[in-house]
Structures are given as structure tokens and as C-alpha cells.
């Protein structure tokens, strides 16, 4: 003899019927806690690269998935356009995204359109300043400036210093030439001959006076 299960009381059956939809809604809410819309905020530019923050619209959490978004830009006068470029992850934070390409200097109207993992849109005016080039640095091998007189500062090389203890050469101590010695001896010879002649004359005079 088989027994049939006893039916649940009416209050218990009603509670179970109401609990199932609540659980289904809770599970769906947990699956879509971030929402289905992306919040895109264009923050400006860095060295000409467009920067933007991408978060979930509902809770503001950064997007952990890869973001598929395109960037387009139009100049202020409408004569120039740039893009479409894609966003790549930046280094400023978990929500920071940027472009790999750079905008030329000028004022641009930038538009970002995201399609994955959800939809998002932003538009902002971005100004890229003109960066002056760095002045050239002088090379270390540059030639020295000329002296005021027009001649190089190092025209003549100085003589090396004399070794310690060596006598210094002096132009005033040069030996006398042989011609000076020969002149001295000639003058002495002439004087001697003159004295000898005078003595001979005196002797001759004395001899003459002694004769009768």
C-alpha cells in the first residue's frame, strides 16, 4: 500500500512561492551589480595623449575587463581631424585609460565612444600646448675663444723648468773670444818695445857725454 505525500500547509506554500522570485531577483542583481552603463570622463591630455577615466555608472568601480572604445578629435576650426584611435590602459590608476597616439598642438573637441563591456560616451574640449624645443647644449670639444689681440691664447709653449740644483745659464758669463786675447798681447808688446827704445837712447847719450 503506497502513501501519498502530505501537501504543505497553505502558509508554507505561499512563503515558498514568494521566496523563489526574490532569490531570482537577488541573483540577477548580484550578476549585474556594476550596472549596464559605463561612465567615461575625459580628464585631459599628457604630452598630447588623450586621457580618460572609465568606471561603472552605478557604483563607480573601475572596469577590470578590457574596454573597447574609440577616440575621435576635431580641431576648433574644423579643418583637422584625428582618429579613430582606441583606448589603452594608462599608468595613473585602475580607472585611467589613454591613447597611444598624440594630438598636435591646438584646441580639439574629443569624443570617446565605448562599446564593451558596456556602452559609454563622453565629449570634452582638450587643449594641447606648444612645447618649445630644448636649446642645444655646447659640446665639450669646442675650441677655446680667441684672445682679444687676435692671436691664440696658447701661441708659444713655455720652456720646461730647469732641474733642481742645476746652475742657471746666464748670457753675461760667456767666455771671451780669442780676438780679445790677441789684442791684449799686441798692446803689451808695443809698450815693451817703446820702453826698450827709450832705455837705449839714454845709454847712448851718457856714452857721448863721457868722451873727451
Amino acid at each position: 500500500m503506497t502513501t501519498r505525500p502530505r501537501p504543505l500547509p497553505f502558509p508554507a506554500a505561499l512563503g515558498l512561492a514568494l521566496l523563489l522570485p526574490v532569490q531570482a531577483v537577488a541573483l540577477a542583481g548580484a550578476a549585474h551589480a556594476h550596472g549596464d552603463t559605463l561612465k567615461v570622463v575625459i580628464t585631459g591630455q599628457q604630452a598630447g595623449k588623450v586621457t580618460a577615466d572609465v568606471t561603472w555608472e552605478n557604483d563607480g568601480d573601475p572596469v577590470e575587463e578590457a574596454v573597447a572604445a574609440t577616440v575621435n578629435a576635431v580641431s576648433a576650426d574644423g579643418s583637422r581631424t584625428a582618429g579613430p584611435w582606441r583606448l589603452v590602459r594608462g599608468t595613473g590608476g585602475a580607472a585611467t585609460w589613454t591613447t597611444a597616439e598624440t594630438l598636435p598642438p591646438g584646441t580639439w573637441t574629443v569624443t570617446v565612444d565605448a562599446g564593451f563591456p558596456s556602452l559609454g560616451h563622453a565629449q570634452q574640449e582638450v587643449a594641447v600646448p606648444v612645447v618649445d624645443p630644448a636649446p642645444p647644449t655646447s659640446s665639450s670639444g669646442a675650441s677655446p675663444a680667441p684672445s682679444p689681440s687676435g692671436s691664440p691664447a696658447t701661441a708659444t709653449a713655455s720652456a720646461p723648468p730647469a732641474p733642481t740644483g742645476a746652475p742657471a745659464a746666464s748670457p753675461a758669463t760667456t767666455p771671451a773670444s780669442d780676438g780679445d786675447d790677441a789684442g791684449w798681447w799686441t798692446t803689451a808688446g808695443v809698450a815693451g818695445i817703446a820702453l826698450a827704445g827709450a832705455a837705449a837712447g839714454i845709454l847712448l847719450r851718457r856714452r857721448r857725454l863721457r868722451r873727451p
Side-chain angles (χ1 to χ4, degrees):
M1 179 177 180
T2 60
T3 59
R4 296 181 180 178
R6 299 178 61 182
L8 293 174
F10 179 76
L14 180 60
L16 180 61
L18 294 176
L19 181 61
L20 290 178
V22 170
Q23 288 180 346
V25 171
L27 292 175
H32 299 282
H34 294 302
D36 56 357
T37 305
L38 295 181
K39 181 181 180 181
V40 182
V41 178
I42 300 173
T43 57
Q45 57 84 32
Q46 289 184 355
K49 297 180 179 181
V50 178
T51 57
D53 287 344
V54 181
T55 57
W56 290 101
E57 181 72 31
N58 286 1
D59 52 17
D61 290 343
V63 180
E64 298 178 356
E65 299 89 339
V67 173
T70 57
V71 180
N72 291 276
V74 181
S75 62
D77 57 2
S79 60
R80 295 179 297 171
T81 60
W85 300 333
R86 68 185 186 92
L87 284 179
V88 296
R89 285 197 179 273
T91 57
T96 303
W97 296 76
T98 183
T99 59
E101 299 81 3
T102 59
L103 287 172
T107 302
W108 301 83
T109 300
V110 178
T111 304
V112 177
D113 290 298
F116 182 85
S118 197
L119 299 179
H121 174 81
Q123 189 175 61
Q124 181 71 31
E125 189 175 272
V126 175
V128 181
V130 178
V131 179
D132 296 332
T137 57
S138 59
S139 60
S140 58
S143 59
S147 59
S149 60
S151 60
T154 57
T156 58
S158 60
T164 306
S170 175
T173 59
T174 55
S177 62
D178 295 338
D180 295 340
D181 294 339
W184 185 84
W185 286 108
T186 301
T187 303
V190 172
I193 294 173
L195 291 175
I202 293 173
L203 290 176
L204 288 175
R205 289 179 182 178
R206 289 181 178 178
R207 287 179 182 178
R208 290 176 182 177
L209 292 176
R210 290 177 182 177
R211 290 178 183 177

